[in-house]
Amino acid sequence: MMTILVQLAIAFSLSLLSDSKDIYKPIEAVMLQPQSYAFVRRVTTTSKEKAFQILENKCNVCHNKRNRRRVFTLDNMNPWVDDVYKQVFIKKRMPKGKKIKLTSQEYQDLLTWISATQNNQNGNQL
């Protein structure tokens, strides 16, 4: 009786091993084909991109109408970093009006961009 159980266990183990090779072959073939990979969009956003979104949505709305010389773009926003800091955090004059308010996350994102930009301008890499 014991030999029959051992023989069954060995036969079952061998059948699993032989079947497992056949199962993984199609997966390997699919994984090796370059067209089977999905393109992944870059999800991470830099502090500059986050700050630009805030400046675009909360500042440029008014600047487009009243102060066209100070419309923020990705290319020109870094030189204005000291003025943005002064107007938003020290004088608390911007953004103007009761309708446009910054959330606490937007304040944090602006401050992160300001700190990173000032550190890079001063030669201190984070």
Side-chain angles (χ1 to χ4, degrees):
M1 181 73 165
M2 186 65 151
T3 56
I4 294 174
L5 287 174
V6 171
Q7 288 175 347
L8 283 173
I10 292 172
F12 181 71
S13 299
L14 290 174
S15 68
L16 284 178
L17 287 174
S18 66
D19 288 344
S20 67
K21 292 177 184 174
D22 294 335
I23 290 172
Y24 291 112
K25 282 184 183 176
I27 294 173
E28 290 173 8
V30 170
M31 290 178 68
L32 293 177
Q33 296 173 357
Q35 66 269 19
S36 67
Y37 292 109
F39 290 101
V40 178
R41 186 172 58 97
R42 184 176 67 106
V43 177
T44 57
T45 308
T46 65
S47 62
K48 182 176 180 177
E49 290 168 341
K50 287 181 183 179
F52 175 69
Q53 286 300 326
I54 297 165
L55 295 173
E56 177 70 22
N57 295 330
K58 304 287 175 120
C59 303
N60 283 347
V61 172
C62 188
H63 283 224
N64 279 327
K65 298 174 187 170
R66 298 184 183 177
N67 194 355
R68 295 191 140 253
R69 292 181 302 135
R70 290 200 178 187
V71 172
F72 299 103
T73 65
L74 274 171
D75 295 330
N76 77 356
M77 64 189 274
N78 282 354
W80 296 109
V81 71
D82 292 331
D83 290 336
V84 170
Y85 178 73
K86 188 185 303 179
Q87 294 297 325
V88 174
F89 293 98
I90 295 175
K91 294 184 177 181
K92 299 186 187 297
R93 292 182 58 204
M94 297 290 166
K96 284 188 175 182
K98 294 179 182 178
K99 292 181 181 178
I100 300 175
K101 299 283 183 197
L102 294 176
T103 65
S104 59
Q105 183 62 50
E106 289 171 331
Y107 276 111
Q108 185 60 47
D109 290 341
L110 276 178
L111 199 55
T112 301
W113 164 68
I114 289 168
S115 298
T117 304
Q118 287 175 338
N119 284 336
N120 286 338
Q121 286 175 351
N122 296 333
N124 301 328
Q125 299 291 328
L126 293 178

